[in-house]
Amino acid sequence: MKRISFSKLIFIFLGGVILLFIIAPLISMTMATSSTSLFETATDKEVLNSIWLTLRVAFLTTLFFALGSIPLAYVFARYNFPLKKLFTGLIDLPIVIPHSAAGIAVLGFISRDSTIGGIASTFGLDFVGHPIGIGLAMAYVSVPFLINAARDGFEAVPERLEKAALNLSASSARVFFTISLPLASRSIISGLIMMFARGMSEFGAVIIVAYHPMITPVLIFERFGSFGLKYARPVSVIFIAVCLVFFIGLRLIIKNKHDAKD
Amino acid sequence: MLKINKLNKKFKDFNIRNLSLDITKGDYFVILGKSGAGKSLVLEMIAGLVQPDSGAIFLDDIDLTKKKIQDRKVGLVFQDFAIFPHLTVRNNIAYSLKAKHESKQIISEKVLRFAKESNVEHLLNRYPSKLSGGEKQRVALARTLANNPDCLLLDEPLSSLDIQLKEELRELLRAINKRGITIIHVTHDYEEAIALANNVAVMHNGEIVQSGEIHEVFQNPKNEFVARFTGVKNFFEAEIINRNQAKLNNKVTFQIPVQTKPIEKAKILIESKHIIISPNKIESSATNSFQGKITKVIEIPFGFELIVDIGIPLAVLITKESKEKYNFKARENAWVSFKASEVKIIL
């Protein structure tokens, strides 16, 4: 029989503890939730509406911000310009600041007292307490995941392939859409998934910008505060299940794609 | 005609200096040089991938220097092929045709034509990750040719191929050149130049050291660098008259290594250091033995080079000691001999 070395055993043990730390609370939460309460929650209109709102806003926000983030990531990957390192660092800023502070920052930016919020309110649009406000709060803390992943993806595309495409009479736009983008697609989709998942699970920034309409993380918090653990738990289990379905499904989509890392 | 006029490009630790070249339409031009000599950079400047600091490049009297890459009508085949990994061979070849918005029917016809010419029509539905080095090289060629370039730029196209594939690809390159496409081919391998070039330029440290017709450059190197780099003077067009004999200039017959496949013509090459010269005929295992007249005695840094006329001029290298011992002089007769196995056939 193959012998396992002592150091390997230590590694397996320590790794196992960490894995258990991640999985155990989720399993215990699921086990502690009765099927009756799960069924009741799954048919609760307030819960369903909030899950639908969370998914819809996170998805549309991700798509909308991808329009600017992907070109920005390409610029970071391909061009050198003054203060590039500073700008690259700034991209990571929303990840490292407290999310409630991020929410305060976004609120200051979109409230009716701000320029942008003021202009929007003249058209009858109030970002605060509106799905757009929720989307902006989600985007603020999640867009760095997309930009960083897309930049890594573009950096992995050999410039020679882009030059070869230019030499084959393709315009710069065509080179971007037929060479750079498809070859970086796996990283970009990974970034999109991360941004979507991060946006969907955001609580701290969103609750400051919009308590209502209630996205699921806020609903979980509200039920916990008002009714206790027993009522918050089934919503959490259902929402985690929804998140997992999306996460696994989207990961499977990118599994068989050709890209620059092949 | 491609004219390069006083091209300069400065980098931190490398410069292209005053590089000028005239390449006639339909020529097969080889730029020879060691790695790092700046050969690939010259191709990239012609293709527009790198902008020179000064100087100009003209193709058929049109100034390319400020033209966009897409408008230059030159096709570059990269050393690493630069095949698009996410596209099938078919879509790789069709890439330029789609960029020009050709109709589906024309794209399909042209893809098939260029795939057939490059012998990759059986690979059209494969992805590049499933291709060998030689197949990738052919796909890269077909893809570039499909863009209908006036001038084909080849960056070390044979360097990663084995001997068999090299011979096949050389044949393809000759056929493409015969169609009237000017080819500029950069390499570090003088055998490739001998096999393919009409004209050559030898490049060193970002400068053209010597250029001209291949025999002229190889047989009259301007300086020691060219002499050492080109390395060989004895190469000739030969008619392969049977499996182990070749006729040169319709005058001299050489014994050659036994050929396993039928060939009519080839270039043959004998390195000077493999030829033995003696005042009288010597008995040995060398099957090639000829009497000739010494026409030139040239002193070189590591001895002497003697040119012996045996119906064709043959360059022979000897040491100073040998020359003194046998007292070889111009206009005197001598015998030269070499083994058949030292005769290299280049297809």
Side-chain angles (χ1 to χ4, degrees):
Chain A
M1 209 178 99
K2 208 175 161 187
R3 282 175 64 106
I4 300 176
S5 67
F6 181 70
S7 60
K8 210 171 180 180
L9 273 174
I10 295 279
F11 274 52
I12 290 170
F13 172 74
L14 293 174
V17 169
I18 297 297
L19 274 178
L20 204 63
F21 173 70
I22 295 171
I23 298 165
L26 296 177
I27 293 175
S28 119
M29 183 174 68
T30 312
M31 303 286 279
T33 312
S34 69
S35 53
T36 325
S37 66
L38 264 183
F39 180 76
E40 276 172 11
T41 312
T43 50
D44 182 340
K45 220 169 176 190
E46 193 185 14
V47 174
L48 292 180
N49 283 342
S50 101
I51 291 177
W52 172 236
L53 174 73
T54 312
L55 292 176
R56 196 180 60 206
V57 174
F59 185 74
L60 291 176
T61 301
T62 305
L63 281 191
F64 182 76
F65 274 83
L67 292 178
S69 303
I70 293 171
L72 178 66
Y74 186 76
V75 170
F76 276 131
R78 278 291 176 266
Y79 303 111
N80 282 318
F81 48 85
L83 303 177
K84 183 177 170 180
K85 279 192 176 163
L86 176 72
F87 287 121
T88 313
L90 282 177
I91 296 295
D92 290 332
L93 206 58
I95 298 175
V96 295
I97 62 172
H99 286 191
S100 48
I104 298 287
V106 174
L107 183 65
F109 189 63
I110 62 170
S111 70
R112 261 179 287 185
D113 304 333
S114 72
T115 316
I116 292 174
I119 294 169
S121 73
T122 57
F123 293 99
L125 185 65
D126 188 2
F127 289 139
V128 180
H130 191 278
I132 293 179
I134 298 174
L136 290 172
M138 283 178 174
Y140 192 78
V141 294
S142 61
V143 78
F145 291 99
L146 172 59
I147 298 171
N148 289 337
R151 187 193 55 218
D152 292 348
F154 285 127
E155 277 173 354
V157 177
E159 270 192 84
R160 295 180 82 70
L161 295 182
E162 292 174 352
K163 288 182 173 180
L166 289 172
N167 183 249
L168 291 167
S169 302
S171 65
S172 302
R174 194 179 181 85
V175 173
F176 178 77
F177 285 110
T178 59
I179 305 297
S180 322
L181 198 58
L183 285 174
S185 62
R186 195 146 64 180
S187 297
I188 292 172
I189 295 173
S190 235
L192 288 169
I193 294 169
M194 285 306 293
M195 182 179 173
F196 173 63
R198 190 67 204 79
M200 206 160 66
S201 55
E202 180 52 26
F203 168 73
V206 174
I207 197 168
I208 288 182
V209 174
Y211 197 84
H212 286 284
M214 224 176 261
I215 59 162
T216 316
V218 178
L219 180 71
I220 294 169
F221 174 73
E222 200 246 2
R223 292 214 167 173
F224 176 66
S226 308
F227 308 108
L229 188 59
K230 198 180 162 196
Y231 287 89
R233 206 184 266 143
V235 188
S236 304
V237 172
I238 289 172
F239 190 57
I240 287 169
V242 170
C243 291
L244 279 178
V245 167
F246 270 89
F247 197 68
I248 294 167
L250 291 169
R251 285 271 164 201
L252 285 176
I253 291 174
I254 61 167
K255 201 180 160 193
N256 297 319
K257 283 190 80 68
H258 287 266
D259 79 352
K261 287 173 184 164
D262 282 337
Chain B
M1 166 149 152
L2 185 90
K3 190 176 170 65
I4 298 175
N5 197 10
K6 293 187 177 168
L7 223 51
N8 283 285
K9 179 78 189 172
K10 236 180 180 170
F11 290 99
K12 259 187 195 163
D13 49 359
F14 179 77
N15 296 331
I16 293 278
R17 283 184 295 267
N18 273 334
L19 190 134
S20 296
L21 278 176
D22 281 329
I23 298 166
T24 51
K25 207 176 173 76
D27 194 6
Y28 199 117
F29 194 95
V30 170
I31 301 176
L32 258 176
K34 290 180 181 169
S35 311
K39 314 178 296 285
S40 301
L41 189 60
V42 173
L43 295 191
E44 289 185 358
M45 286 198 277
I46 297 171
L49 306 183
V50 175
Q51 271 299 317
D53 298 333
S54 64
I57 301 162
F58 298 90
L59 182 63
D60 295 331
D61 297 324
I62 297 166
D63 188 356
L64 296 186
T65 328
K66 298 275 179 262
K67 270 193 183 276
K68 280 164 64 182
I69 298 171
Q70 297 92 328
D71 300 335
R72 294 194 173 208
K73 295 218 82 184
V74 296
L76 174 59
V77 179
F78 289 83
Q79 185 174 4
D80 60 0
F81 320 125
I83 302 285
F84 306 135
H86 59 306
L87 301 181
T88 59
V89 168
R90 185 188 303 281
N91 286 331
N92 262 283
I93 300 174
Y95 190 82
S96 63
L97 304 168
K98 285 182 180 171
K100 290 177 186 168
H101 306 290
E102 300 267 22
S103 73
K104 273 190 176 170
Q105 195 191 341
I106 289 180
I107 290 175
S108 168
E109 282 169 16
K110 284 191 177 177
V111 165
L112 202 62
R113 184 180 359 133
F114 289 107
K116 268 187 183 165
E117 184 185 28
S118 300
N119 198 20
V120 290
E121 76 270 30
H122 58 296
L123 306 170
L124 283 174
N125 295 323
R126 282 206 203 158
Y127 278 95
S129 57
K130 305 277 183 241
L131 302 179
S132 68
E135 287 167 341
K136 280 184 189 163
Q137 182 63 275
R138 285 170 178 277
V139 172
L141 255 177
R143 183 180 71 174
T144 307
L145 290 171
N147 195 27
N148 194 26
D150 288 340
C151 181
L152 190 59
L153 311 172
L154 307 174
D155 192 355
E156 300 269 8
L158 308 172
S159 60
S160 59
L161 308 181
D162 62 35
I163 291 174
Q164 169 79 24
L165 289 173
K166 268 187 191 178
E167 287 174 4
E168 285 174 22
L169 203 67
R170 279 176 188 158
E171 206 46 59
L172 174 61
L173 293 176
R174 283 189 200 105
I176 292 165
N177 183 232
K178 268 188 189 158
R179 271 174 29 202
I181 296 178
T182 310
I183 295 182
I184 305 174
H185 170 148
V186 307
T187 178
H188 63 278
D189 182 355
Y190 66 80
E191 275 190 36
E192 275 180 35
I194 290 170
L196 293 162
N198 301 322
N199 292 289
V200 292
V202 180
M203 210 174 159
H204 183 50
N205 278 342
E207 284 180 285
I208 298 288
V209 186
Q210 189 174 359
S211 68
E213 197 265 325
I214 184 158
H215 278 89
E216 176 61 28
V217 172
F218 274 60
Q219 276 156 14
N220 298 300
K222 207 164 135 183
N223 58 30
E224 197 185 327
F225 175 79
V226 180
R228 281 179 186 270
F229 189 71
T230 51
V232 62
K233 291 189 170 180
N234 301 319
F235 60 94
F236 312 95
E237 290 275 359
E239 214 179 309
I240 310 298
I241 51 178
N242 60 44
R243 285 175 69 216
N244 61 346
Q245 284 188 314
K247 196 156 203 166
L248 288 78
N249 274 7
N250 261 333
K251 288 178 186 164
V252 188
T253 303
F254 280 6
Q255 303 297 316
I256 59 171
V258 176
Q259 299 300 300
T260 50
K261 56 182 181 183
I263 317 163
E264 285 183 7
K265 281 188 174 173
K267 293 245 170 77
I268 68 165
L269 185 155
I270 316 124
E271 288 189 53
S272 309
K273 63 183 179 193
H274 292 138
I275 303 173
I276 293 167
I277 184 165
S278 55
N280 303 303
K281 188 168 185 178
I282 50 171
E283 289 302 321
S284 75
S285 63
T287 49
N288 289 297
S289 191
F290 304 94
Q291 190 179 28
K293 184 171 270 185
I294 300 171
T295 57
K296 271 185 197 166
V297 179
I298 307 154
E299 191 163 2
I300 53 174
F302 38 89
F304 285 87
E305 183 181 79
L306 311 183
I307 307 296
V308 185
D309 185 359
I310 59 165
I312 53 163
L314 214 54
V316 185
L317 292 181
I318 54 168
T319 58
K320 199 175 171 190
E321 291 75 28
S322 293
K323 183 182 173 287
E324 276 167 11
K325 186 175 175 188
Y326 297 107
N327 198 21
F328 291 120
K329 284 179 188 161
R331 291 187 295 278
E332 283 189 357
N333 287 338
W335 282 81
V336 289
S337 54
F338 49 92
K339 289 180 168 188
S341 57
E342 299 295 358
V343 180
K344 212 168 188 177
I345 307 291
I346 303 177
L347 295 173

